[in-house]
Amino acid sequence: MVWTIFAVISVVLLGLSAGVFYAFSSFIMPGLARASDDAAGAGMTGINETALLPAFMSVFFGALLVPAATGIWGLVSGYDGGGWILAAAAVYLIGTFGVTMALNVPLNNQLLAAHDKAAGWRAYWRPWTRWNHLRTFAGAVATALAAVGLL
């Protein structure tokens, strides 16, 4: 019963994280791109600073740590879904967390450091959004894998 609760929490955290990235790909970045380059650069800088607060960071890190621990626990304890949930954590680690740290965060830092936010935004938003599409896909796949672990 307790393992099942952690498996459900894993699915919820993974789904929340995937949903955040989906929101960026589907309407936040396209919406910012409709604003002036100065406004979009300043707006995204503000979003990036706010993303570092506990409301998002607890979901972002929790979506890695809770499924990883739950998957290992499931495998060690003989729960049928443990392997699926551990696979979800692996997909999230590489496709969401890894892409974020290796590709999106450096782009965020470049935008932050840009003296000309308009020029910074123009160089930023297309590559950042392409990598975000990958994070969205990986997050959705990880959520689905964890959900299968509950079946």
Side-chain angles (χ1 to χ4, degrees), residues 29 33 37 104 107 120-133:
M29 295 305 282
D37 291 341
N104 290 92
L107 289 168
W121 170 256
R122 286 189 298 272
Y124 170 88
W125 82 272
R126 283 187 177 91
W128 189 96
T129 303
R130 277 193 298 270
W131 290 119
N132 190 69
H133 293 333

Side-chain angles (χ1 to χ4, degrees), residues 19-97:
V20 167
F21 297 123
Y22 175 76
F24 272 93
S25 283
S26 63
F27 61 87
I28 295 171
M29 295 305 282
L32 286 172
R34 294 178 69 168
S36 72
D37 291 341
D38 281 328
M44 191 64 187
T45 298
I47 289 169
N48 288 335
E49 290 170 353
T50 304
L52 298 175
L53 298 175
F56 175 67
M57 285 291 119
S58 59
V59 170
F60 182 65
F61 283 99
L64 175 61
L65 300 174
V66 174
T70 303
I72 292 167
W73 176 13
L75 286 175
V76 170
S77 300
Y79 292 103
D80 290 337
W84 289 99
I85 295 175
L86 189 57
V91 169
Y92 185 86
L93 173 64
I94 295 165
T96 303
F97 190 86

